[in-house]
Amino acid sequence: IIEWLGSCPRVLLIDEMNNCTSLLEKSIPSTNLAEFLKDNFLSKEDQYLVFSSHIVSTVGQLSSYMDSGSSRPIAIHELPLIRNVTNAVQVFDWPELNAGRALFYGLVPALIYMARLEEKSSISRISFHKVEEAIDVCVKDGLVTDKSVRYLLANFVDGEKRKVMKPLHQFMNTAEEEKLRWIPIYMTKVLDSLVIRVPSLD
């Protein structure tokens, strides 16, 4: 790869960097990955790294391995959200769409689009597979307790990151390092699943 790249200008695009589990803890693979990215996509002029992540802390995890005196900044951008419900009604051809329903889908265009398709066809379009996987991890690791669920509910109001079980961070909509903002449809699914998986909860 390095030989093929040569000295040409380059941009590396990585989707869902949060799935790179080696970044979660200090290790040889994570260090090697960071060094490769830094040396080949960041350290010289006309080199760029662009990635998406469901977890804002990915930025801190990645940068912690990139010890460098570089002054290049990290720019964080939220995905675009619905700003005008009236326009969204027209764009999605969904006369019944209102502010409450749009907020339930976190104002996320893709979720609103899938929800509209569901209404038209009565076929489930929004996948909760990753939600179930994350809850599996929470249950397996013993993270689900009465206290942790109370914290989870409190986070829905105050957004404090420390109150949410880490595997669930990916279902937040946020651009702040210490604040998490739930997408209500995912909160509903998480709570429904927790009640079924852990019936002993108060």
Side-chain angles (χ1 to χ4, degrees):
I1 294 177
I2 297 173
E3 201 172 296
W4 175 73
L5 287 171
S7 59
C8 65
R10 66 202 65 164
V11 178
L12 177 64
L13 305 177
I14 302 177
D15 189 25
E16 297 196 5
M17 177 77 92
N18 54 284
N19 286 327
C20 184
T21 55
S22 65
L23 288 176
L24 298 178
E25 56 185 28
K26 287 283 187 179
S27 64
I28 293 176
S30 57
T31 301
N32 290 342
L33 170 63
E35 287 182 354
F36 174 80
L37 295 176
K38 181 177 71 174
D39 293 344
N40 296 286
F41 297 96
L42 288 174
S43 61
K44 297 176 183 177
E45 188 177 3
D46 292 329
Q47 295 183 352
Y48 303 91
L49 170 63
V50 179
F51 64 89
S52 69
S53 175
H54 291 282
I55 306 173
V56 177
S57 58
T58 301
V59 173
Q61 291 162 348
L62 184 62
S63 61
S64 68
Y65 300 109
M66 296 186 175
D67 299 326
S68 170
S70 172
S71 60
R72 296 183 71 173
I74 296 175
I76 302 176
H77 297 280
E78 273 190 295
L79 290 175
L81 302 177
I82 295 297
R83 301 298 180 190
N84 186 301
V85 176
T86 302
N87 289 344
V89 167
Q90 297 176 345
V91 169
F92 296 107
D93 187 25
W94 196 357
E96 295 78 21
L97 182 64
N98 55 36
R101 186 173 271 184
L103 286 169
F104 182 67
Y105 297 109
L107 303 177
V108 178
L111 286 177
I112 294 175
Y113 173 71
M114 297 304 286
R116 176 56 172 151
L117 290 182
E118 284 187 1
E119 186 172 271
K120 281 184 173 181
S121 64
S122 299
I123 299 174
S124 179
R125 302 278 184 172
I126 299 175
S127 173
F128 294 106
H129 177 67
K130 288 189 175 181
V131 175
E132 297 293 351
E133 285 185 343
I135 292 174
D136 283 341
V137 174
C138 291
V139 173
K140 181 181 177 182
D141 292 350
L143 301 177
V144 183
T145 63
D146 288 339
K147 183 177 180 179
S148 67
V149 173
R150 283 196 296 271
Y151 276 166
L152 193 65
L153 293 171
N155 168 266
F156 194 68
V157 177
D158 60 32
E160 289 189 25
K161 180 179 177 179
R162 63 181 179 82
K163 293 181 177 178
V164 178
M165 292 169 266
K166 199 165 185 179
L168 300 178
H169 285 188
Q170 60 187 297
F171 307 111
M172 310 298 180
N173 178 29
T174 181
E176 300 177 59
E177 184 67 29
E178 295 305 323
K179 291 290 183 179
L180 299 175
R181 195 164 63 239
W182 272 100
I183 296 175
I185 187 175
Y186 287 132
M187 169 64 98
T188 301
K189 180 60 178 179
V190 166
L191 293 177
D192 285 345
S193 295
L194 287 177
V195 168
I196 294 171
R197 303 282 190 89
V198 190
S200 60
L201 289 172
D202 290 337

